[in-house]
Amino acid sequence: MPNVITCYKWVIDEADIRAGGGGALSFEQAGRKISEYDRNAIEAAVQICEQQGGSVTAISLGGPEVKSSAKDALSRGPERAILALDPAFANADSQTTALGLTAAVKLAGAYDLIVCGEGSGDVYAQQVGPRLAELLGIPCITFAGKLTVTATGVVAERKLDDGVEVVEAAFPVLVTVLPDVAKPRIPSLKQVMGAAKKEVKVVDAAALGLAGDALAARFETKALKAPASNRKQVKVANPVALAEAIAGAVR
Amino acid sequence: MCRNMAGVWVFSEQRSTLLELVGEGRKLADRLGVGLTALVPGGRFDAVDAIAFGADEAIVLTLPEGQPLETAAEAVARLVGELDPDLILWGATLRAKGLAARVAARLGAALVTDATALRVQPDGRIETDRMVYGGGGVATQVALTRPQMIAVPPRTFAEPAVNPRIGDVREVVVPADSRVKVTERRPKSNQGADIAAAGVVVGVGRGLAAAEDLALVEALAATLGGAVGCTRPVAEDLGWLPEDRYIGISGRKVAPKVYVAVGLSGQVQHLAGMRESKVVVAINKDENAPIFANADYGLVGDLYTVLPALTDELKKLMR
Ligand SMILES: Cc1cc2nc3c(=O)[nH]c(=O)nc-3n(C[C@H](O)[C@H](O)[C@H](O)COP(=O)(O)OP(=O)(O)OC[C@H]3O[C@@H](n4cnc5c(N)ncnc54)[C@H](O)[C@@H]3O)c2cc1C
Ligand SMILES: Nc1ncnc2c1ncn2[C@@H]1O[C@H](COP(=O)(O)O)[C@@H](O)[C@H]1O
């Protein structure tokens, strides 16, 4: 019966971001959501434990706003959540995130498997999973499109640039998953109600033992802008007019 | 000649990407007045070629049978600790991105994944651009940690010309990690059209109702002498086209003369892969689909009636 941890990020919904004057990004109306592919990661973890027993702990790290993510995450099936919340974690880089998650994983107790998404919806750095594994000193299998759990470890099919690579690893192991690994469920009303009763542990940076260098900036961000786009945006009335436009452009 | 042989390092397990990075790395090393070292998991032949294309030296990383590339993390981190390079450029394949992240974690260093532009600053550090928010934003950053680590997608830099030098090749044997084992490798079969090379790309999305209906899209592409690409869900969830045909932030980047978007909504993650197209044309039945704000010519309509009429009309015009 595997004990599984799944890490999800509570991200700004990129569809709500507007480009303001001079290409500046406006986050004013932006809501938050569980990073799209992390929903697949949560689902994969939950399905494993539904089939084989064991329990799922969901962990997320971020600013205080991450608190409101617990209900959504827990309605998707995990038994408990650990939230690493601190103003210093808002916009944390991959290393600070991995350091904080490492400490949070240690709070979760014994585990066999950690499931992360392939990349987060906002920064899509594809780094936190491998960094976390390295800091925990456990093996890491990235970009798994299929994941099978055995009594002693996992078999994962990695989808890579040059084809498929099948990798076996013993517990404890961290796997980052592609969305094909499991389709996220739409939580039922009962699951949503049940989520409110589940255990949520909240810890801050100090409680996780993070200070100084661990939290220091590793990047200087010089600009954050919308990509330039100046399309004509001409609406044409029918396929004939469209054909003329295309033919003109191809020549 | 070189102040510090460990100056710029390049790493790629893919030969073509390695040579692209050697070409760019050579320019950066000359600019910074340091040496260029190639880290080569591909073997001795690639190492010799790296020197023939401009590296001062090469280090072959020999992996034991049945181990994934990422097993090299500890050995690479140790080399970095010993030799103290200023900058490491990684070929951003999926494997190498994972390896670079693990090396970075050991070093406590920042890593820029999928940089789209590199600019040398007066102080010798590199300013990078990369896409964030699914392609809805571009972040310009400079890493404050050492070494600077930047992963650059294959084909970002041109193939270099031969630039032969005399340099040492040495070997580092990577110890096996008994906890992981590769049990099978299934190379990708050659899946035909390279959409990145096509002058016209017709990109299709989930507006298509069935795999058979791809024939409509293919007929349009054939009329234009173009190739068919798609959105990520069409390849990944539906499996209607091979995965090397999907376009976007996590897929291929295309920049054809004309990109025709058919039945796709135009989410930022998709736009990130076709933004450089010269002319963008969109067909969608929803007049509010975001693709229209990112298109030069748009037609609101059902693709099932528009495509046959459009293909017929183009056949006449292209004759
Ligand atoms: C981390 C991350 C990375 C991603 N990477 C990529 C990527 O690289 N590439 C990518 O493409 N996506 C990527 N995505 C997914 C992306 O967010 C969108 O979900 C996806 O691009 C939507 O695909 P679509 O436009 O085909 O489908 P939909 O958004 O469902 O759009 C279908 C469109 O078809 C139209 N339509 C329906 N029927 C018809 C008809 N009969 N005639 C005309 N129009 C019709 C609809 O109006 C609608 O606009 C990524 C997502 C995440 C979270
Ligand atoms: N702040 C976070 N809290 C919890 N998990 C995270 C966080 N950031 C990233 N992750 C996990 O790491 C994966 C990769 O994220 P990234 O490296 O940001 O692309 C995500 O899919 C999550 O599973």
Side-chain angles (χ1 to χ4, degrees), chain B residues 71-105:
Chain B
T71 304
E74 192 177 344
V76 173
R78 186 156 353 96
L79 283 170
V80 173
E82 281 164 19
L83 301 171
D84 192 29
D86 303 294
L87 166 66
I88 309 179
L89 296 181
W90 305 82
T93 60
L94 297 180
R95 286 183 221 275
K97 279 194 264 192
L99 172 61
R102 288 165 74 163
V103 172

Side-chain angles (χ1 to χ4, degrees), chain A residues 12 14-15 17 25 27 37 95 118 121-127 130-131 134-135 137-140 142-143 157-170 178-180 183 217-240 242-247 249-251, chain B residues 68 70 93-95 97-98 101-102 104-106 108-114 121 127 130 132-145 179-188 224 232 236 243 250 257-258 268-269 275 277-281 283 292-300 309-310 313-314 317-318:
Chain A
I12 285 181
E14 69 279 358
I17 301 172
L25 297 181
F27 300 95
Y37 293 163
Q95 184 74 353
E118 64 132 325
D122 52 357
V123 295
Y124 200 58
Q126 303 175 310
Q127 293 184 29
R131 282 185 190 256
E134 203 65 24
L135 295 174
I138 63 173
C140 173
T142 45
F143 305 107
E157 284 196 11
R158 312 176 67 194
K159 281 209 286 189
L160 301 170
D161 310 70
D162 54 356
V164 170
E165 182 173 284
V166 185
V167 181
E168 287 180 14
L178 293 167
D180 346 11
K183 266 221 161 55
R218 290 176 193 81
F219 283 110
E220 180 191 343
T221 298
K222 296 196 153 176
L224 180 58
K225 282 194 170 161
S229 166
N230 36 18
R231 296 289 172 192
K232 293 199 184 94
Q233 301 185 39
V234 175
K235 284 267 168 67
V236 300
N238 52 55
V240 175
L242 194 63
E244 278 159 10
I246 294 175
V250 171
R251 288 214 180 96
Chain B
E70 292 87 336
T93 60
L94 297 180
R95 286 183 221 275
K97 279 194 264 192
R102 288 165 74 163
R106 282 184 171 261
L111 164 68
V112 180
T113 27
D114 295 322
Q121 299 300 287
E127 182 179 280
R130 75 179 298 271
V132 291
Y133 301 114
V138 177
T140 302
Q141 298 170 307
V142 178
L144 302 172
T145 48
R179 300 168 302 177
V180 285
K181 193 167 77 195
V182 175
T183 53
E184 193 186 341
R185 286 199 172 108
R186 298 198 294 268
K188 211 177 254 178
L224 292 166
R232 181 163 173 172
E236 190 172 54
E243 298 215 352
S250 48
K257 269 206 272 189
V258 181
V268 286
Q269 291 92 351
R275 212 181 283 284
S277 306
K278 285 230 171 58
V279 173
V280 175
V281 175
I283 301 158
F292 287 123
N294 293 281
D296 296 294
Y297 302 100
L299 176 58
V300 179
L310 177 64
E313 195 58 32
L314 277 167
L317 291 173
M318 306 289 292

Side-chain angles (χ1 to χ4, degrees), chain A residues 36-37 124, chain B residues 205-207 231-233 246-251 263-267 269-270 284-286 289 301-304:
Chain A
E36 201 157 311
Y37 293 163
Y124 200 58
Chain B
R206 265 192 301 219
T231 61
R232 181 163 173 172
Y246 82 75
I247 293 161
I249 187 146
S250 48
L264 63 82
S265 57
Q267 300 304 315
Q269 291 92 351
H270 183 76
N284 194 301
K285 69 175 182 190
D286 173 9
D302 186 332
L303 71 92
Y304 285 90

Side-chain angles (χ1 to χ4, degrees), chain A residues 7-9 38 59-62 97 101 116-120 123-129:
Chain A
C7 299
Y8 72 89
K9 189 172 186 182
D38 290 353
I59 304 184
S60 190
L61 175 146
T97 303
L101 291 177
C116 285
E118 64 132 325
S120 58
V123 295
Y124 200 58
Q126 303 175 310
Q127 293 184 29
V128 168

